[in-house]
């Protein structure tokens, strides 16, 4: 990757200053007050308690003083009290338009913004309680009215900006150090609403809407909780009471866009209410409205939620608002008590932040007049701006040397500097007796400078925003491979906010598959391989910077190993994990891409790259020379078969028959040879097969007609030594006395068998036969289509019809005296019809079928 940067040397002079004394006096419920104006300005100490406040309210309040720490006015979002603690006439219910449209029960009922570059005009922004239709509004306060005490302008009063909104309201510096953003949050939405206040007034027509983060809606309590901005204006934090969570955001104080939400929520959170940033912006604090836990989050941690530390468990009273004061400490409203809690060192992590539960007593020194904070502390105003500066500041782009020149009378005695306020590090704190001096800032960016001048015994304190010349940041990081489905997200919009002029031009040149495209957005997503060149053109002070990124294809590692390997000698293998450029871890402990196995067993490798991890295994088995055994020479009977099996797993086979399967079936006499082979070699075996003759058995006909009561059944047999009839008789001759089917199985001396069967029918004595036949008529005979059977003495009989070979053609039952058989489908020839009467008498008649 090649980075290019071109610097143009120039000078920059800051002519605007800000004074934090505008937040030096606090008034808050009930009748409580604090002032930092009487304390030593270097360093700023704890405040003194004051008792002249007239506020009797529930929650949100705002107070503002001038640059010299003189009270101007304060408000609860409904009425406005001037410096004499009298209600301004224009905010009374009897005035035109009535009171202001805030609410004493709204979390942040009001904030105050001075019109930039105008000493006399201020704006009070208000929101209602419980997301009512009153919405976000503003009213103008003109300090030239009422003899310089100021009054609400009844013409530019309660001007509606947006509705409906939650009870959240805060202000943020614009990146130009002059204008002010006013932010609220939509109700039943995730939208932030930002309006800009400039030297021209409130820009009512172009609010910036940012839909980001959680939806604030559903129940009333989800409209409650504070919204705060970090000291630099780069981050926002919100608390949502109902669903009990905090949420952190990035804020672009150049564009007014809110982005990058981070949800901070745990099951044990309740009534989240107050939030505040430390001055160094390293820590965020959160309180609970009806709870007793005070939390700290480390904003520099990679997992902010996991960094949570409970720095305190409050006493008997629940918490309330958190507010950072001009001394850098953070104060906690102790609900309905006459004390404030205080985080004394909010820039320190953990218990080192030093929280004190009863830090400020709000009653008077005699203890007879008690003041109560309830749940609220006043919103800090944005800094007051002057049109002329007592200090010229010059910085350059090349050496970060900043020159300071104090434009005050030459008879000043000493200048006390804090060049990175409010740091107490000695490297930032020094004193000079000259009006001009140079300081080297090692890092570009925004610094707040505190200047305290001692002139004729008088101390004067001012604060300045100093932009040390900024070189654009375009670091795309190292060249890399992009995993499937992944993308690279870049956002360089911070360059706009950091540039001295507040303007940057961006250019992204993308070369993908030989096609070049150009985009001019500061944020972009890379999800394809290619060459990307990004340039940021700043103002004329620091020129431009360029960086290039090459993105290649990346893939999850492929499984590199076969499932199984066989070998006569396993240690001759080399296992290769493939996936060049990945990391490897074998079950053997090896971390190389290739290993040599030390024997049979299972070997596992874990392959990892930036896209993921793949685990694969191989089983290595030892293989021996084939051992085959076809058995001894054998014989089988004629007509039988024999199965030969090699029983050699993983082998290849070649039989003398030409077959290559593991087993074959043979039935012919001869010699059979097998060659079985594997990676270790080949083995052979031979078997001889002979065929044994089977005995012969048959009957003279398929059907035999017998006469008399018994019949000797003689089969024709050769080559048999054993006989087995279907009647279980074992003699060569069977005496038969009943008609039916009879079978015989004969066995030779070698164990071979044959079988035959025959049907035996009986004829009775001639006289009896003639009497029976005379009562059974079968006609016509020969027959062609139908055969009629008439039973003269019986109406029921069983019958069988055999062909001339004794094969059964048809059988059934006659249910009546007259019966008919359909013979149209019978072949021409001689058939035998046997009729079995109910008395057991059998009559068989030859039938001829003609065609």
């Amino acid at each position: 990757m090649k980075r290019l940067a071109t610097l143009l040397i120039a000078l920059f002079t800051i002519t605007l200053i800000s004074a934090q004394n505008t937040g030096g006096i606090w008034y808050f419920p009930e009748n409580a007050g604090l002032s930092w104006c009487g304390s030593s300005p270097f360093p700023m100490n704890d405040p003194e308690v004051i008792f002249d406040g007239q506020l009797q309210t529930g929650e949100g309040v705002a107070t503002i003083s001038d640059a010299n720490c003189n009270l101007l006015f304060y408000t609860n979002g409904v009425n406005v009290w001037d410096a004499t603690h009298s209600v301004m006439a224009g905010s009374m219910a009897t005035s035109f338009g009535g009171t202001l449209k805030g609410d004493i029960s709204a979390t942040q009922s009001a904030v105050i913004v001075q019109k930039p570059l105008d000493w006399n005009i201020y704006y009070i922004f208000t929101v209602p309680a419980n997301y009512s239709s009153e919405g976000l509004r503003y009213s103008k306060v003109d300090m030239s009215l009422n003899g310089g005490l100021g009054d609400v302008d009844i013409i530019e009063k309660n001007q509606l900006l947006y509705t409906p909104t939650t009870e959240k309201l805060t202000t943020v510096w614009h990146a130009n150090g002059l204008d002010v953003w006013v932010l609220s949050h939509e109700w039943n939405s995730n939208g932030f609403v930002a309006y800009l206040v400039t030297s021209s007034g409130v820009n009512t027509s172009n609010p910036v809407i940012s839909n980001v983060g959680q939806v604030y809606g559903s129940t009333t309590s989800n409209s409650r909780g504070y919204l705060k901005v970090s000291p630099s204006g780069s981050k926002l934090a919100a608390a949502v009471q109902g669903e009990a969570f905090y949420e952190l955001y990035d804020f672009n104080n150049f564009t007014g866009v809110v982005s990058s939400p981070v949800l901070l929520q745990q099951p044990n959170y309740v009534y989240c209410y107050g939030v505040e940033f430390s001055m160094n912006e390293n820590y965020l604090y959160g309180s609970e409205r009806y709870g007793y836990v005070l939390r700290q989050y480390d904003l520099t941690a990679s997992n902010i939620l996991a960094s949570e530390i409970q720095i305190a468990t409050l006493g008997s009273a629940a918490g309330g608002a958190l507010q950072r004061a001009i001394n850098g400490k953070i104060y906690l409203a102790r609900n309905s008590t006459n004390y404030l809690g205080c985080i004394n060192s909010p820039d320190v992590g953990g218990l080192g932040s030093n929280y004190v539960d009863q830090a400020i007593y709000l009653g008077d020194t005699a203890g007879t007049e008690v003041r109560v904070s309830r749940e609220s502390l006043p919103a800090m105003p944005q800094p007051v701006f002057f049109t002329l500066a007592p200090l010229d500041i010059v910085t350059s782009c090349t050496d970060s040397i900043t020159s300071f020149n104090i434009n005050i009378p030459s008879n000043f005695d000493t200048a006390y500097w804090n060049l990175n306020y409010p740091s107490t590090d000695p490297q930032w704190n020094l004193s000079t007796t000259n009006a001009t001096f140079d300081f080297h800032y090692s890092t570009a960016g925004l610094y707040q400078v505190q200047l305290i001048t001692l002139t004729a015994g008088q101390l004067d304190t001012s604060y300045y925003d100093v932009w040390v010349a900024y070189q654009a940041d375009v670091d795309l990081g190292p060249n890399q491979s992009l995993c499937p489905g992944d993308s690279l997200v870049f956002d360089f919009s911070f360059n706009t906010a950091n540039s001295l002029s507040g303007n940057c031009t961006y250019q992204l040149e993308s070369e993908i598959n030989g096609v070049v495209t150009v985009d001019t957005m500061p944020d972009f997503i890379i999800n394809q391989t290619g060459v990307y060149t990004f340039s940021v053109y700043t103002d004329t002070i620091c020129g431009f910077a360029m960086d290039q990124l090459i993105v290649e294809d990346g893939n999850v590692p492929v499984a590199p190993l076969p499932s199984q390997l066989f070998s006569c000698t396993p240690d001759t293998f080399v296992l290769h994990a493939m996936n060049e450029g990945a990391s490897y871890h074998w079950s053997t402990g090896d971390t190389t891409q290739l290993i040599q196995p030390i024997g049979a067993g299972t070997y596992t490798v874990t392959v990892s790259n930036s896209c993921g991890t793949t685990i694969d295994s191989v089983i290595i088995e030892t293989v021996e020379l084939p051992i085959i055994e076809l058995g001894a020479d054998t014989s089988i009977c004629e007509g039988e078969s024999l199965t030969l099996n090699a029983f050699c797993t993983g082998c290849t086979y070649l039989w003398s028959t030409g077959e290559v399967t593991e087993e074959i079936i043979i039935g012919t006499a001869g010699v059979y040879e097998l060659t079985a082979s594997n990676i270790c070699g080949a083995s052979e075996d031979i078997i001889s097969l002979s065929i044994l003759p089977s005995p012969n058995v048959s009957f003279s006909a398929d059907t035999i007609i017998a006469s008399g009561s018994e019949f000797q059944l003689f089969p024709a047999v050769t080559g048999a030594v054993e006989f087995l009839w279907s009647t279980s008789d074992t003699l060569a001759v069977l005496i038969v006395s009943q008609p039916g089917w009879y079978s015989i199985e004969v066995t030779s001396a070698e164990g071979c068998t044959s079988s035959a069967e025959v049907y035996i029918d009986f004829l009775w004595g001639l006289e009896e036969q003639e009497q029976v036949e005379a009562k059974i008529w079968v006609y016509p005979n020969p027959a062609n289509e139908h055969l009629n059977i008439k039973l003269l003495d019986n109406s029921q009989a069983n019958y069988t019809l055999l062909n001339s070979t004794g094969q059964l053609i048809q059988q059934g039952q006659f249910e009546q005296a007259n019966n008919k058989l359909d013979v149209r489908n019978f072949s021409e020839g001689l058939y035998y019809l046997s009729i079995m009467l109910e008395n057991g008498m059998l009559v068989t008649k030859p039938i001829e079928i003609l065609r």
Side-chain angles (χ1 to χ4, degrees):
M1 178 177 60
K2 183 178 181 181
R3 180 173 294 116
L4 304 176
T6 299
L7 306 179
L8 302 179
I9 300 176
L11 299 180
F12 178 67
T13 302
I14 296 179
T15 59
L16 299 175
I17 69 169
S18 64
Q20 289 203 28
N21 288 340
T22 57
I25 297 177
W26 288 6
Y27 288 106
F28 49 97
E30 298 173 355
N31 303 113
L34 297 175
S35 173
W36 282 264
C37 295
S39 61
S40 174
F42 188 76
M44 293 181 178
N45 295 325
D46 289 334
E48 61 180 359
V49 179
I50 53 179
F51 305 100
D52 51 0
Q54 299 301 306
L55 281 173
Q56 287 284 334
T57 188
E59 296 184 67
V61 294
T63 308
I64 193 166
S65 304
D66 65 15
N68 294 317
C69 220
N70 298 311
L71 175 67
L72 293 178
F73 59 88
Y74 54 96
T75 179
N76 59 3
V78 178
N79 300 117
V80 186
W81 286 262
D82 62 23
T84 67
H85 306 287
S86 300
V87 177
M88 290 183 180
S91 70
M92 293 180 178
T94 57
S95 67
F96 180 78
T99 64
L100 274 58
K101 298 298 185 181
D103 194 297
I104 63 173
S105 186
T107 303
Q108 292 173 282
S109 179
V111 295
I112 302 170
V113 176
Q114 183 194 0
K115 183 179 180 181
L117 305 180
D118 192 328
W119 279 104
N120 290 315
I121 303 301
Y122 294 81
Y123 298 103
I124 300 175
F125 291 82
T126 61
V127 290
N130 302 331
Y131 61 86
S132 79
S133 60
E134 297 295 353
L136 173 63
R137 297 173 182 265
Y138 80 92
S139 300
K140 184 171 76 173
V141 174
D142 188 345
M143 294 304 298
S144 66
L145 301 177
N146 192 27
L149 291 175
D151 200 356
V152 176
D153 184 339
I154 61 174
I155 303 301
E156 196 169 353
K157 176 180 176 182
N158 290 325
Q159 299 296 302
L160 178 63
L161 294 174
Y162 202 94
T163 187
T165 62
T166 65
E167 298 180 12
K168 292 174 168 54
L169 185 61
T170 194
T171 58
V172 187
W173 291 340
H174 188 278
N176 61 19
L178 178 66
D179 302 330
V180 177
W181 293 102
V182 178
L183 279 83
S184 187
H185 196 284
E186 296 176 340
W187 170 247
N188 213 24
S189 165
N190 68 341
F192 281 90
V193 183
Y195 287 86
L196 190 62
V197 181
T198 70
S199 57
S200 300
V202 181
N203 186 344
T204 62
S205 61
N206 296 298
V208 178
I209 309 295
S210 301
N211 292 102
V212 62
Q214 304 298 305
V215 172
Y216 300 172
S218 183
T219 64
T220 301
S221 59
N222 285 333
S223 71
R224 301 168 186 161
Y226 273 79
L227 176 66
K228 289 293 186 70
V229 62
S230 67
S232 69
S234 63
K235 290 190 177 295
L236 296 174
V240 175
Q241 176 182 319
E243 295 184 5
F245 65 82
Y246 307 100
E247 200 162 25
L248 182 68
Y249 313 82
D250 288 342
F251 181 71
N252 187 326
N253 61 352
F254 182 81
T255 63
V257 173
V258 182
S259 63
S260 307
V262 177
L263 180 64
L264 304 175
Q265 186 176 36
Q266 299 282 13
N268 62 332
Y269 287 11
V270 294
Y271 310 114
C272 296
Y273 190 71
V275 286
E276 187 60 282
F277 293 88
S278 64
M279 183 62 75
N280 64 7
E281 298 191 354
N282 289 340
Y283 300 100
L284 175 70
Y285 295 86
S287 65
E288 298 175 344
R289 185 177 187 184
Y290 302 121
Y292 300 88
V293 175
L294 185 58
R295 299 181 172 89
Q296 180 196 73
Y297 300 90
D298 186 351
L299 302 187
T300 67
S302 59
N303 186 331
I304 297 175
L305 179 59
S307 75
E308 175 198 339
I309 295 175
Q310 182 175 324
I311 63 169
T313 301
L314 307 184
S316 60
L322 286 165
Q323 180 61 55
R324 187 181 63 255
I326 62 175
N327 61 2
K329 297 182 179 182
I330 297 176
Y331 293 87
L332 171 66
R334 304 293 282 109
N335 194 350
S336 300
T337 73
N338 54 343
Y339 284 94
L340 293 184
C342 179
I343 305 172
N344 287 285
S345 302
D347 288 346
V348 179
L351 299 181
S353 58
N354 187 20
Y355 172 77
V356 177
D357 198 33
Q358 294 185 348
I360 302 293
Y361 178 64
L362 300 176
D364 66 4
T365 55
T368 60
E369 191 172 359
V370 175
R371 300 296 194 262
V372 177
S373 71
R374 298 195 68 176
E375 298 164 305
S376 175
L377 291 174
M380 286 285 285
Q382 288 303 309
V384 178
F385 295 93
F386 298 84
T387 55
L388 296 176
L391 183 68
D392 292 331
I393 305 172
V394 179
T395 185
S396 70
C397 194
T398 55
D399 53 14
S400 295
I401 295 294
T402 301
S403 298
F404 296 92
N405 181 45
I406 305 173
N407 291 323
I408 60 176
S410 59
N411 62 344
F412 85 96
D413 297 318
T414 307
Y416 301 94
W417 302 89
N418 186 332
L419 297 164
N420 188 18
Y421 180 83
S423 174
T424 58
D425 191 322
Q427 70 169 315
W428 302 109
N429 291 272
L430 51 92
S431 62
T432 65
T433 56
N434 295 323
T436 301
F437 87 104
D438 293 338
F439 184 81
H440 180 266
Y441 282 96
S442 61
T443 304
L446 175 64
Y447 294 85
Q448 188 173 48
V449 173
Q450 180 193 59
L451 170 62
I452 303 174
T453 57
L454 179 61
T455 305
Q458 296 294 318
L459 289 171
D460 184 27
T461 303
S462 301
Y463 297 83
Y464 308 86
D465 288 336
V466 178
W467 288 89
V468 175
Y470 179 73
Q471 172 61 52
D473 183 357
V474 294
D475 186 5
L476 297 175
N479 297 334
Q480 57 183 291
S481 299
L482 196 62
C483 302
D486 285 354
S487 59
L488 304 175
V489 179
F490 296 94
D491 186 354
F492 292 99
S493 59
F494 59 86
N495 284 285
T496 298
N498 290 333
S499 65
L500 296 177
S501 66
N503 291 293
C504 284
T505 301
Y506 304 92
Q507 177 173 300
L508 174 66
E509 183 180 285
S510 306
E511 183 179 345
I512 302 171
N513 297 325
V515 178
V516 177
T517 58
V518 176
D519 197 357
T520 58
M521 297 299 293
D523 55 337
F524 51 90
I525 298 174
I526 294 177
N527 54 20
Q528 298 184 67
T529 59
V531 179
Y532 299 86
T533 304
F534 184 67
S535 303
V536 176
Y537 295 81
T538 63
D539 46 53
T540 57
I541 292 180
C542 286
F544 78 95
M546 178 188 298
D547 196 15
Q548 189 176 82
L549 176 66
I550 299 175
V551 178
E552 299 178 341
D553 276 327
N555 293 288
V556 176
V558 299
L561 302 176
S563 60
Q564 199 169 27
L565 291 172
F566 301 92
S567 176
C568 300
T569 54
D571 54 1
T572 61
F573 280 123
V574 173
L575 298 181
H576 198 307
M578 301 172 62
N579 301 286
E580 193 70 31
S583 62
Y584 318 95
H585 183 77
W586 296 86
S587 53
T588 60
D590 293 291
T591 57
T592 55
Q593 190 177 21
L594 288 78
I595 67 167
Q596 187 171 14
I598 57 176
T602 300
Y603 293 82
T604 301
V605 64
T606 301
V607 186
S608 302
N609 64 17
S610 60
C611 294
T613 297
T614 296
I615 300 175
D616 197 17
S617 296
V618 59
I619 299 174
I620 299 179
E621 294 186 12
T622 301
V623 180
E624 298 179 352
L625 186 69
I627 300 175
I628 55 174
E629 181 60 56
L630 297 179
D633 295 343
T634 186
S635 59
I636 60 174
C637 296
E638 185 180 2
E640 294 181 347
S641 63
L642 176 66
T643 298
L644 299 180
N645 196 310
F647 296 109
C648 180
T649 303
C651 293
T652 58
Y653 317 96
L654 179 60
W655 298 86
S656 55
T657 62
E659 293 168 277
V660 293
T661 56
E662 185 178 13
E663 65 177 27
I664 64 173
I665 299 174
I666 60 175
T668 304
V671 176
Y672 296 86
E673 181 177 356
L674 168 65
T675 300
S677 305
N678 65 13
I679 59 176
C680 297
S683 296
E684 298 178 349
D685 196 17
I686 295 175
I687 187 172
S688 177
L689 178 67
S690 58
I691 306 299
L692 301 175
S694 297
N696 296 317
V697 60
S698 62
F699 292 100
S700 59
D702 292 332
T703 301
I704 299 177
I705 308 300
S707 60
S709 60
E710 291 184 344
F711 179 75
Q712 289 186 335
L713 185 56
F714 291 92
V717 179
T718 59
V721 295
E722 294 181 5
F723 308 89
L724 179 62
W725 294 89
S726 56
T727 60
S728 299
D729 291 283
T730 58
L731 298 177
V733 178
L734 179 66
I735 304 301
V736 179
S737 59
Q738 296 293 330
W741 287 97
Y742 295 85
S743 63
I744 185 173
E745 181 180 88
V746 297
T747 304
S748 68
E750 292 81 10
C752 298
T753 62
S754 296
S755 62
E757 65 176 357
V758 66
Y759 186 82
I760 305 298
D761 204 354
F762 279 89
L763 296 176
W764 295 283
L766 183 58
E767 181 179 350
E768 187 177 17
Q769 182 74 21
E770 289 176 353
Q771 293 176 356
V772 173
E773 289 182 352
K775 297 179 180 181
I776 299 174
W777 295 359
V778 179
Y779 61 91
N781 190 7
N784 180 263
E785 294 183 355
H786 294 90
L787 188 63
N788 299 301
I789 299 94
K790 185 172 183 180
L791 307 178
L792 299 181
D793 287 344
N794 295 277
S795 61
Q796 186 172 3
N798 295 322
Y799 74 91
T800 58
L801 182 64
L802 306 177
N803 61 16
S804 59
T805 63
Q807 182 181 5
L808 177 65
I809 301 302
Q810 188 173 323
Q811 64 181 3
Q813 188 177 50
F814 296 133
E815 301 287 348
Q816 54 195 11
N818 295 306
N819 304 277
K820 180 179 290 187
L821 292 178
D822 188 347
V823 297
R824 287 176 294 181
N825 293 327
F826 293 174
S827 300
E828 187 176 56
L830 182 63
Y831 294 82
Y832 295 93
L833 177 64
S834 295
I835 301 174
M836 177 69 73
L837 302 178
E838 290 181 335
N839 60 4
M841 297 296 287
L842 178 67
V843 174
T844 300
K845 292 183 175 291
I847 305 297
E848 187 176 6
I849 304 298
L850 296 179
R851 291 285 176 253

